[in-house]
């Protein structure tokens, strides 16, 4: 070997063992290349500077980590950590930083070094497909750190990406689930603590269901995908902000949480306590606002009521656990002590196969754990009961997909675990029971024995002779008075109506009476929990508006006129008749009315997002109204007004259009409401006089 060769070889050896010193100043870089590593203090920014990648330490720790955070959020919010279980240990107590290095080279692809820069602390563990190719690491505006393979500067594809290895945070567009080709399973795991991002005890897994585990034990089950949401998340945010997609094919099985407005920062974090929290960044308030969280209720605990039990949180003052139809507590003494962990077993241990057995419906539930259930997506919903009856091991069935009236069939063939009831959502579960239980439920729904019918008949005759005849005369007179009162307030247009009297428009005879359903006062009181303040949606000059749930589960909005409100009976009749005759997607739909004693109420369809003014005059909600949403609202209001002025059979002027009278549904579609001040015009009429000033 000549002297030149010896000198060159020595230089190589020296370079390989010399420590790479940290830079003295922080540098913002756009990529990491084999000859351009990132040192502790440097920051890798995404193209629009939304996210940043660099070295960081947590509040009460001197250890150094490499991670991604929001660059435009003042309070550093970490969303991904590379070396979460292998931190860079500080050289001395006074020097917690400066020794870290993130480099790209052929052995491992993307590598993190600490003090010993011959032994990596963390590696992406990938290599290029060809020795002639190179690698470049970049940070995308989605927060995804990608390692690209390049051939002479041309990208050959993604070798590795951080989104395939999420930590405790789920960002928009991160796939959660299984890649069947590479066997890669993407899931979240909590941090050990706020000062230690290491792998914690909590993590969701288990598709086609979503589970939250504590160690190896299931803590909460979000359920399986049923078309538009997970079965165990009735309030899943599928609206104008979020766009949730579920994919299940031969290559992949995952759920991805998209966002329609890229200017909104959203994240879902699995906290150290085992709670999954979705939040949105509020720029004006400079804080993260919680959107929803789970688990948060007593019945969210996995298997709270044991096998074949059902947890119902609405059992106020009672034990929340009950057995499913046809089952009874396995250990009654434990059940009385409110310990349902033993679950429920079949009553009488009789056969339920081919002996007159059938199904009983359990409404509004999170269906049982389907880990071992059978699914047939090609089976029609009507064929599902017979499919279950043909198999003696089948214990229950439900719809596989809730869309378009339901299709597909899910059948359970073992214990029914982790069933719970929701207040106003959920699926219908059909539980198989024997002929005896089926008959008992039929009797409880109105079928009586012969002795019972005879006893009731005898009692009825006695009551009629002793009580009914003497008071019948009084009841008839009271009924006549009630009819007179109801006729006085019935929603009909009369020639004495203030609003139609000064209008030159005429209504034909068919419009003189409305076919709107009449609701009894007791029905409305029950639906609104006796007009509870917790159900009040808003309050105006004419009274209050309450949210109600009818006995069939339908949500409604009840406008209750105050007894001394400014809106009189004429305005009330005006609003009922007008809305009943108007049909348009941008006008609120009336479902009925109630006039009883001094009460006057209108029952409307329930609109989820309340009124437009609740968004405009609220700093948090106003941030959600980007130009696309605002334009859609403006366009919808204009279409509604055009319909009133030009396209409807009755030409109507609203006369009280304002933000509080524009309601927004779940998709932010506007609906014009409150027609108490409206006025009808003739088709060829362009102006008219009024007897009084109205509007706001």
């Amino acid at each position: 070997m000549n002297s030149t060769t010896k000198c060159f070889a020595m230089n190589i050896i020296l370079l390989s063992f010399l420590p790479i010193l940290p830079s003295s100043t922080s540098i913002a870089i756009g990529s990491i290349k084999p000859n351009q590593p990132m040192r502790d203090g440097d920051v890798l920014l995404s193209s629009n500077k939304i996210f940043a990648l660099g070295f960081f330490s947590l509040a009460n720790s001197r250890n150094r980590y490499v991670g991604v955070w929001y660059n435009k959020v003042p309070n550093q919010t970490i969303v991904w950590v590379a070396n979460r279980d292998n931190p860079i240990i500080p050289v001395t107590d006074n020097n917690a930083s400066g020794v870290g290095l993130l480099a790209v080279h052929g052995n491992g692809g993307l590598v993190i070094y600490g003090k010993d820069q011959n032994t990596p602390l963390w590696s992406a563990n990938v290599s290029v497909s060809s020795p002639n190719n190179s690698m470049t690491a970049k940070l995308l505006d989605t927060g995804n750190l990608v390692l690209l393979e390049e051939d002479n500067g041309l990208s050959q594809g993604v070798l590795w990406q951080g989104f395939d290895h999420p930590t405790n945070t789920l960002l928009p567009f991160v796939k959660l689930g299984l890649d069947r080709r590479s066997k890669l399973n993407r899931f979240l795991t909590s941090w050990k603590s706020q000062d230690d991002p290491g792998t914690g005890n909590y993590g969701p897994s288990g598709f086609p269901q979503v589970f939250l585990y504590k160690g190896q034990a299931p803590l909460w089950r979000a359920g399986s995908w049923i078309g538009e949401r997970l079965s165990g998340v009735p309030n899943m945010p599928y609206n104008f902000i979020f766009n949730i997609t579920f994919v299940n094919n031969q290559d992949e099985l995952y759920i991805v949480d998209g966002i329609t407005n890229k200017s909104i920062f959203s994240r879902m974090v699995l906290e150290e306590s085992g709670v999954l929290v979705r939040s949105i960044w509020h720029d004006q308030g400079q804080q993260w606002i919680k959107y929803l969280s789970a688990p948060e209720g007593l019945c969210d605990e996995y298997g709270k009521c044991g096998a074949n039990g059902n947890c119902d949180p609405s059992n106020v003052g009672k034990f929340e656990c009950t057995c499913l139809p046809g089952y009874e507590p396995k250990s009654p003494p434990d059940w009385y002590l409110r310990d349902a962990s033993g679950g429920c077993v079949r009553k009488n241990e009789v056969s339920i196969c081919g002996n007159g057995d059938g199904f009983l419906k359990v409404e509004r539930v999170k269906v049982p754990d389907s880990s071992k259930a059978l699914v047939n997506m090609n089976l029609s919903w009507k064929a599902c009961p017979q499919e279950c009856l043909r198999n003696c091991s089948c214990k229950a069935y439900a719809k596989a997909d809730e869309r378009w009236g339901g299709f597909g069939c899910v059948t359970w063939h073992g214990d029914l675990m982790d069933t719970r009831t929701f207040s106003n959502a959920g699926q219908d579960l059909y539980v198989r029971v024997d002929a005896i239980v089926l008959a008992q439920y039929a009797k409880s729904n109105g079928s009586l024995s012969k002795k019972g019918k005879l006893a009731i008949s005898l009692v009825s005759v006695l009551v009629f002779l002793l009580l009914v005849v003497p008071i019948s005369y009084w009841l008839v007179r009271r009924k006549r008075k009630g009819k007179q009162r109801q006729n006085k307030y019935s929603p009909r247009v009369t020639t004495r109506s203030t609003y139609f009297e000064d209008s030159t428009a005429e209504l034909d005879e068919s419009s003189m009476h409305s076919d709107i359903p009449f609701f009894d006062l007791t029905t409305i009181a029950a639906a609104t929990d006796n007009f509870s303040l917790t159900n009040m949606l808003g309050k105006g000059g004419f009274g209050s508006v309450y949210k109600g749930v009818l006995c069939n589960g339908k949500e409604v909005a009840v406008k209750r006129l105050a007894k001394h409100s400014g809106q009189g009976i004429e305005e009330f009749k005006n609003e009922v008749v007008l809305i009943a005759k108007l049909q348009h997607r941008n006008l609120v739909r009336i479902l009925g009315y109630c006039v009883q004693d001094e009460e006057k109420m209108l029952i409307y369809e329930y609109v989820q997002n309340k009124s437009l003014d609740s968004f405009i005059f609220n700093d948090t909600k106003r941030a959600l109204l980007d130009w696309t949403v605002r334009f859609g609202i403006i366009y919808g209001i204009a279409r509604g007004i055009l319909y009133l002025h030009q396209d409807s059979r009755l030409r109507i002027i609203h006369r009280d259009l304002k933000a509080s009278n524009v309601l927004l549904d779940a998709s932010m579609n506007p609906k014009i409401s409150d027609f108490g001040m409206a006025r009808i015009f003739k088709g060829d009429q362009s102006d008219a006089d009024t007897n009084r000033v109205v509007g706001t």
Side-chain angles (χ1 to χ4, degrees):
M1 182 181 293
N2 56 38
S3 60
T4 303
T5 305
K6 288 181 180 179
C7 181
F8 181 77
M10 188 175 293
N11 285 336
I12 292 294
I13 294 172
L14 287 173
L15 285 172
S16 64
F17 285 94
L18 283 174
I20 302 176
L21 299 177
S23 61
S24 58
T25 59
S26 177
I27 301 175
I29 59 178
S31 63
I32 304 173
K33 297 179 179 294
N35 59 345
Q36 296 176 348
M38 189 178 80
R39 306 173 188 275
D40 194 341
D42 295 343
V43 176
L44 175 65
L45 297 177
S46 63
S47 59
N48 289 318
K49 300 181 180 180
I50 297 174
F51 287 94
L53 177 138
F55 292 81
F56 70 93
S57 292
L58 296 169
N60 297 316
S61 173
R62 304 180 69 83
N63 293 337
R64 301 292 283 173
Y65 301 90
V66 174
V68 177
W69 59 83
Y70 283 99
N71 185 53
K72 295 185 177 181
V73 173
N75 299 326
Q76 190 180 55
T77 304
I78 307 297
V79 298
W80 182 80
V81 184
N83 58 324
R84 61 185 306 189
D85 293 314
N86 296 285
I88 301 170
I89 308 299
V91 178
T92 64
D93 292 339
N94 296 324
N95 184 15
S97 62
V99 299
L101 184 76
L102 177 62
V104 171
H105 60 67
N107 186 17
L110 198 60
V111 181
I112 297 176
Y113 293 100
K115 179 182 178 181
D116 181 2
Q117 295 181 0
N118 291 309
T119 305
L121 293 173
W122 175 89
S123 169
N125 196 26
V126 293
S127 58
V128 293
S129 59
S130 171
N132 297 324
N133 293 349
S134 61
M135 291 179 286
T136 300
K138 292 184 178 181
L139 183 62
L140 306 183
D141 280 330
T142 57
N144 190 14
L145 176 64
V146 295
L147 186 63
L148 305 174
E149 182 177 4
E150 296 181 344
D151 182 8
N152 294 324
L154 299 177
S155 176
Q156 300 297 309
V158 177
L159 276 176
W160 177 93
Q161 59 179 346
F163 273 14
D164 282 340
H165 309 275
T167 51
N168 74 325
T169 301
L170 188 69
L171 292 174
F173 311 111
V174 175
K175 295 179 180 179
L176 196 65
L178 178 66
D179 187 326
R180 291 187 167 116
R181 296 161 298 185
S182 64
K183 308 301 180 184
L184 176 67
N185 191 15
R186 313 174 192 92
F187 53 90
L188 300 182
T189 49
S190 65
W191 288 9
K192 289 183 178 179
S193 68
Q194 292 184 351
D195 300 322
D196 186 353
T199 304
N201 294 323
Y202 297 95
S205 182
F207 276 83
Q209 296 186 104
V210 176
F211 273 87
L212 179 63
Y213 283 88
K214 183 178 182 181
Q216 299 297 319
L219 181 69
W220 171 68
R221 182 175 62 92
S224 55
W225 187 258
I226 55 174
E228 292 184 344
R229 64 176 179 87
L230 294 169
S231 61
V233 189
N235 57 342
M236 203 163 183
Y238 192 89
N239 52 31
F240 71 101
I241 300 177
F242 302 103
N243 183 15
I244 302 170
T245 304
F246 177 76
V247 174
N248 185 5
N249 55 39
Q250 61 181 5
D251 295 328
E252 292 184 286
L253 174 63
Y254 67 85
I255 187 171
V256 62
D257 191 6
I259 193 164
T260 58
N261 188 340
K262 294 182 180 179
S263 65
I264 297 176
F265 293 165
S266 171
R267 62 182 181 135
M268 184 179 292
V269 179
L270 180 55
E271 296 182 339
E272 299 79 27
S273 60
V275 177
L276 201 61
V277 179
R278 178 191 288 277
S279 54
I280 296 176
W281 175 253
H282 183 218
D283 197 44
Q284 291 181 341
Q286 295 291 288
Q287 62 178 334
W288 288 98
I289 298 176
K290 185 171 75 171
Y291 195 89
L292 60 85
S293 64
E296 59 181 0
L298 186 66
C299 289
D300 282 341
E301 178 185 341
Y302 180 83
K304 171 68 177 178
C305 297
N308 309 309
N310 179 32
C311 189
D312 187 352
S314 65
N315 290 338
V316 181
K318 300 179 181 178
F319 190 25
E320 62 273 5
C321 291
T322 58
C323 289
L324 290 170
Y327 293 85
E328 60 186 1
K330 182 178 181 180
S331 176
D334 292 337
W335 203 270
Y336 296 142
L337 296 175
R338 299 203 169 189
D339 177 9
S341 58
C344 305
V345 294
R346 281 281 182 193
K347 292 181 179 179
N348 307 320
E349 297 184 357
V350 297
S351 172
I352 59 164
C353 189
N355 294 316
D357 48 316
F359 299 97
L360 291 176
K361 182 170 71 171
V362 185
E363 298 179 330
R364 306 188 316 277
V365 300
K366 176 174 72 173
V367 296
D369 186 349
S370 58
S371 299
K372 298 181 180 180
L374 300 180
V375 182
N376 188 343
M377 297 302 297
N378 297 321
L379 192 68
S380 69
W381 170 238
K382 292 183 179 180
C384 198
Q386 293 302 320
E387 179 73 12
C388 187
L389 284 175
R390 279 195 291 267
N391 192 330
C392 291
S393 66
C394 182
K395 301 295 192 299
Y397 72 90
K399 295 177 182 177
D401 197 306
E402 292 283 311
R403 293 174 296 178
W404 310 301
F407 65 91
C409 182
V410 184
T411 54
W412 285 264
H413 299 262
D415 284 334
L416 306 175
M417 179 64 75
D418 194 40
T419 307
R420 65 151 297 171
T421 298
F422 294 113
S423 59
N424 55 5
Q427 292 181 265
D428 291 336
L429 176 69
Y430 294 83
V431 180
R432 191 173 190 169
V433 297
D434 58 49
I436 297 175
V437 175
L438 203 62
Q440 290 173 345
Y441 271 78
K443 288 181 180 180
S444 66
N445 289 332
S447 178
L448 298 172
S449 64
K450 292 182 178 179
K451 291 183 179 180
K453 291 179 179 179
L454 179 60
I456 291 176
S457 299
L458 292 174
V459 172
S460 300
V461 171
L462 291 174
V463 170
F464 179 80
L465 293 175
L466 297 176
L467 298 176
V468 175
V469 174
I471 64 173
S472 59
Y473 177 72
W474 177 80
L475 289 175
V476 170
R477 293 194 61 182
R478 186 173 182 270
K479 185 176 181 181
R480 287 177 179 174
K481 289 182 179 180
K483 279 189 175 181
Q484 292 174 357
R485 184 185 298 111
Q486 184 168 328
N487 289 336
K488 178 181 177 182
Y489 294 116
S490 62
R492 292 179 291 175
V493 181
T494 67
T495 56
R496 293 182 297 168
S497 170
T498 302
Y499 290 93
F500 299 123
E501 182 182 30
D502 62 4
S503 173
T504 56
E506 295 180 359
L507 300 176
D508 55 28
E509 185 62 24
S510 63
S511 67
M512 296 294 288
H513 297 274
S514 174
D515 295 328
I516 306 173
F518 175 81
F519 285 82
D520 187 79
L521 178 59
T522 56
T523 301
I524 302 303
T528 59
D529 193 16
N530 202 21
F531 303 101
S532 170
L533 289 176
T534 58
N535 287 335
M536 183 182 289
L537 299 175
K539 194 171 185 179
F542 294 149
S544 303
V545 180
Y546 298 86
K547 178 183 178 181
V549 180
L550 300 178
C551 57
N552 61 0
K554 185 177 182 61
E555 294 180 324
V556 296
V558 179
K559 179 180 178 181
R560 185 188 191 191
L561 273 66
K563 296 178 181 178
H564 305 290
S565 71
Q567 182 170 3
I569 189 61
E570 301 299 339
E571 292 92 336
F572 177 81
K573 291 190 294 184
N574 198 67
E575 185 163 5
V576 174
V577 174
L578 280 183
I579 300 181
K581 295 181 180 297
L582 300 176
Q583 298 292 332
H584 192 272
R585 62 175 299 183
N586 295 115
L587 303 182
V588 70
R589 185 163 60 95
I590 192 169
L591 303 178
Y593 73 100
C594 175
V595 177
Q596 193 166 336
D597 298 328
E598 296 183 355
E599 294 284 358
K600 299 191 294 291
M601 287 176 283
L602 297 173
I603 294 85
Y604 295 102
E605 62 175 322
Y606 175 68
V607 183
Q608 291 87 336
N609 282 320
K610 301 183 181 179
S611 58
L612 177 59
D613 64 332
S614 67
F615 278 79
I616 294 176
F617 303 112
N618 183 288
D619 292 339
T620 302
K621 291 185 176 181
R622 186 167 62 243
L624 303 177
L625 297 179
D626 62 4
W627 172 241
T628 302
V629 176
R630 289 173 186 258
F631 180 80
I633 294 173
I634 295 169
Y635 184 66
I637 296 172
R639 287 196 304 182
I641 293 297
L642 179 64
Y643 171 79
L644 293 175
H645 290 184
Q646 180 174 308
D647 297 334
S648 67
R649 184 166 60 90
L650 303 175
R651 194 174 187 185
I652 296 169
I653 306 300
H654 189 280
R655 301 207 296 178
D656 196 20
L657 186 63
K658 54 187 177 182
S660 60
N661 287 339
V662 176
L663 307 180
L664 301 172
D665 66 11
S667 300
M668 297 300 284
N669 294 315
K671 293 179 180 290
I672 300 172
S673 67
D674 201 341
F675 286 80
M677 298 296 180
R679 178 167 175 176
I680 297 178
F681 276 57
K682 280 185 176 180
D684 58 350
Q685 188 178 2
S686 60
D687 61 83
D689 297 327
T690 182
N691 293 335
R692 58 175 175 169
V693 178
V694 297
T696 302

